[in-house]
Amino acid sequence: MSNINIEIEQQLRNENVDIIHFVDISMLDIKQNRGLPFAILIGIAINPHFLEMVCNTPDYTHTLDDEYAQTESRVGLIADKLTNSLISNGYKALSQSDNGLMAEKAFDFETKTSALPHKTIAILSGIGYIGKSNLFITEEFGAAQCLGSVLTNAPLTVAKHNTLLPKCHRCTICHNICPQKALKGVCWNTNVSRDEIVDVYNCITCLKCLAYCPQSRAYMKRAIRI
């Protein structure tokens, strides 16, 4: 690992970031990677007690200031801070926070798509897979993490990883619990589009698919027991 990898990881650990991966995105088209060869994937685990509350509150409604929203906001601020640090050290860098994407006009509000989703970078990191909920799922946290990313030309040390296929198998919990029936019960692979998995225009971000995912519940039980 290069010195700059170590410095970045230490900076992010000081911010209590749970997921840090350095990813090669040079194979993506220029519209996606914006001419930058590397991405830094950032993730913060969602408070397991919040997940427990969502599971125990049948009519829970996600708000713009709840724990999930605050975690998403925190990830964005950390991505912005890291971007500014890289730029101050003479490198090119782009934050893929909400503010960064809007400033760059890299988010299409009509189709609800960004130029390079965090999940695409996460898939390339090899640490997880996209589930039937269309959420990124890791072994450690299930679907219970908020992701962010920074694109850069800083000379990072990266390793290539195999793409992990979903381990959902016959599980249909997220599909069954979705109150809007926005999830279609389809497993992701590289030939399956987002719209074949979820109707994003009908999703109300109720967080039930995230909280009830068996992998998220396993994380929740481990974390609360500890």
Side-chain angles (χ1 to χ4, degrees):
M1 184 179 288
S2 71
N3 287 338
I4 189 165
N5 287 64
I6 295 170
E7 291 170 6
I8 290 170
E9 182 161 351
Q10 185 58 57
Q11 178 180 339
L12 293 174
R13 292 298 179 199
N14 289 341
E15 298 276 4
N16 296 314
V17 171
D18 299 299
I19 296 171
I20 305 168
H21 277 268
F22 304 97
V23 184
D24 181 3
I25 57 170
S26 61
M27 80 295 293
L28 302 177
D29 66 55
I30 196 167
K31 181 179 178 182
Q32 290 179 296
N33 65 27
R34 275 84 106 207
L36 298 172
F38 304 120
I40 303 160
L41 180 69
I42 301 166
I44 295 179
I46 297 167
N47 187 326
H49 294 284
F50 172 73
L51 297 179
E52 185 178 45
M53 184 271 292
V54 172
C55 290
N56 293 334
T57 310
D59 59 348
Y60 180 76
T61 302
H62 166 57
T63 67
L64 295 179
D65 60 358
D66 68 11
E67 184 86 25
Y68 179 81
Q70 289 178 35
T71 305
E72 278 199 319
S73 176
R74 186 173 152 222
V75 171
L77 291 173
I78 291 170
D80 290 344
K81 185 175 178 179
L82 176 58
T83 297
N84 291 335
S85 176
L86 287 165
I87 292 172
S88 69
N89 284 308
Y91 303 114
K92 292 181 179 179
L94 290 172
S95 173
Q96 292 214 125
S97 66
D98 289 348
N99 289 337
L101 290 173
M102 285 190 287
E104 196 191 349
K105 297 182 179 179
F107 186 84
D108 187 326
F109 286 93
E110 184 175 344
T111 61
K112 297 189 177 183
T113 56
S114 62
L116 179 56
H118 306 309
K119 281 182 288 190
T120 300
I121 297 170
I123 284 292
L124 293 174
S125 78
I127 64 168
Y129 56 90
I130 296 174
K132 292 179 182 178
S133 58
N134 198 47
L135 297 173
F136 188 71
I137 297 173
T138 63
E139 183 176 352
E140 187 172 5
F141 303 116
Q145 64 260 309
C146 292
L147 298 177
S149 55
V150 173
L151 314 186
T152 185
N153 69 346
L156 302 174
T157 299
V158 298
K160 293 189 177 181
H161 301 275
N162 294 325
T163 298
L164 297 182
L165 293 176
K167 297 180 182 179
C168 304
H169 305 303
R170 295 185 178 181
C171 179
T172 58
I173 288 174
C174 62
H175 172 260
N176 295 340
I177 205 165
C178 177
Q180 297 296 105
K181 304 303 178 186
L183 296 173
K184 303 176 183 180
V186 174
C187 262
W188 174 88
N189 65 55
T190 54
N191 297 313
V192 172
S193 70
R194 177 200 68 181
D195 293 340
E196 292 176 89
I197 299 173
V198 59
D199 176 0
V200 295
Y201 305 102
N202 202 30
C203 172
I204 57 173
T205 319
C206 68
L207 306 181
K208 294 186 186 304
C209 60
L210 185 156
Y212 277 90
C213 171
Q215 301 299 325
S216 299
R217 290 178 72 84
Y219 151 67
M220 178 180 70
K221 290 175 182 178
R222 285 195 306 270
I224 291 175
R225 183 173 64 245
I226 292 171

